[in-house]
């Protein structure tokens, strides 16, 4: 299986909004509402930001929001802050209780 | 508090095997799947599979079937990932992470270990 497709990089100024896309197929993103998003700072473990397409774990600011349309999921970061500069990964259920990650997107603030 | 504590860095020669451990604390070990995810230097995340600590059942990504083995020891709340026939491109940071069994979700990997660097070099 190929990785989900994400843009390599996106950028924005402090206070702006950015959106990261995650494109899969009808066998993964399109078929299941089990899309998650993770933030990873250099040298650190990933951190869960969004699960089940739109849900936020406790402690994650509501500046982070998720959505999905067809085979493409999206993560929107509103009110961009300096600390949001990191790598972001999407993942999706890919059938038979397997997971598939995206290639990652570097966000520059 | 919830913690996943992994074993230390390893160096192996090509063709050897490596076994990484992940000790869970702060929650009921058998209530959460333990997943393994790896990240090669400068690369993205790659899901390897999971183990259900309650039943011992496993589910491996197709790429890793036949050369990864995930096990657990419930008496010490520890999961293990063993990778055989190592090649240089298996050099990566290996993470353990968890998701709740029977939550109705999948892929909500909420806590992660600190990562274990495995270097494969002759």
């Amino acid at each position: 299986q190929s990785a989900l497709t994400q843009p390599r990089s996106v950028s924005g100024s402090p206070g702006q909004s950015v959106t990261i896309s995650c494109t899969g197929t009808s066998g993964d993103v399109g078929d299941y509402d089990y899309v998650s998003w993770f933030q990873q700072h250099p040298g650190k473990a990933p951190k869960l930001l969004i699960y089940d397409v739109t849900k936020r774990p406790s402690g994650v600011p509501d500046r982070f929001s998720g959505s999905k349309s067809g085979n493409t999921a999206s993560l929107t970061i509103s009110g961009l802050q300096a600390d949001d500069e990191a790598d972001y990964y999407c993942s999706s259920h890919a059938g038979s209780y397997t997971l598939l990650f995206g290639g990652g997107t570097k966000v520059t603030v | 508090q919830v913690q996943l504590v992994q074993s230390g860095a390893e160096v192996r020669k090509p063709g050897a095997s490596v076994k990484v451990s992940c000790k869970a604390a702060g929650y009921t070990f058998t209530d959460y799947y333990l997943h393994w995810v790896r990240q090669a230097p400068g690369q993205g995340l790659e899901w390897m599979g999971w183990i259900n600590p309650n039943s011992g059942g496993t589910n491996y990504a197709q790429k890793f079937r036949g050369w990864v083995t995930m096990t657990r020891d419930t008496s010490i709340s520890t999961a293990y990932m063993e990778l055989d026939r190592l090649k240089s491109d298996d050099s990566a940071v290996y993470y353990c992470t968890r998701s709740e069994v029977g939550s109705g979700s999948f892929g909500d990997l909420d806590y992660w270990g600190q990562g274990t660097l495995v270097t494969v070099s002759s």
Side-chain angles (χ1 to χ4, degrees):
Chain A
Q1 282 170 312
S2 299
L4 305 173
T5 301
Q6 297 182 233
R8 298 206 79 157
S9 64
V10 300
S11 62
S13 301
Q16 287 186 331
S17 295
V18 296
T19 297
I20 303 168
S21 61
C22 170
T23 301
T25 69
S26 57
D28 38 68
V29 175
D31 260 2
Y32 304 99
D33 288 334
Y34 295 136
V35 175
S36 297
W37 289 91
F38 301 88
Q39 177 192 62
Q40 186 180 33
H41 286 107
K44 301 293 188 182
K47 173 188 173 183
L48 180 65
L49 293 177
I50 298 286
Y51 67 100
D52 292 357
V53 180
T54 61
K55 298 177 182 175
R56 273 187 314 276
S58 61
V60 173
D62 60 6
R63 302 187 297 106
F64 296 92
S65 61
S67 62
K68 190 186 90 166
S69 177
N71 294 341
T72 298
S74 299
L75 172 72
T76 297
I77 310 172
S78 306
L80 209 55
Q81 299 178 0
D83 189 51
D84 296 336
E85 187 159 296
D87 293 324
Y88 292 80
Y89 294 91
C90 62
S91 73
S92 174
H93 186 296
S96 302
Y97 293 97
T98 63
L99 267 181
L100 195 56
F101 280 101
T105 298
K106 181 175 180 57
V107 170
T108 302
V109 180
Chain B
Q1 73 280 23
V2 174
Q3 283 189 300
L4 296 172
V5 180
Q6 299 183 224
S7 48
E10 304 272 11
V11 179
R12 293 286 186 275
K13 294 190 183 303
S17 62
V18 69
K19 191 170 187 177
V20 179
S21 68
C22 172
K23 183 171 178 58
Y27 71 95
T28 302
F29 181 59
T30 50
D31 283 351
Y32 288 79
Y33 294 107
L34 245 296
H35 300 248
W36 291 89
V37 175
R38 76 177 185 179
Q39 186 170 37
Q43 303 299 309
L45 303 174
E46 183 174 30
W47 182 78
M48 300 177 69
W50 55 252
I51 182 168
N52 181 333
N54 187 40
S55 65
T58 55
N59 191 12
Y60 304 142
Q62 188 168 3
K63 171 179 177 175
F64 295 97
R65 288 175 197 162
W67 60 301
V68 70
T69 305
M70 297 178 189
T71 57
R72 92 292 189 213
D73 183 340
T74 55
S75 69
I76 55 171
S77 299
T78 299
Y80 303 92
M81 185 282 300
E82 184 169 20
L83 198 57
D84 300 326
R85 307 187 301 276
L86 292 167
K87 305 182 294 283
S88 58
D89 59 5
D90 293 318
S91 294
V93 175
Y94 289 77
Y95 292 101
C96 62
T97 175
R98 70 171 203 172
S99 67
E100 190 175 5
V101 176
S103 68
S105 298
F106 187 75
D108 48 332
L109 308 175
D110 60 353
Y111 283 87
W112 294 64
Q114 82 276 21
T116 297
L117 176 62
V118 174
T119 302
V120 183
S121 173
S122 54

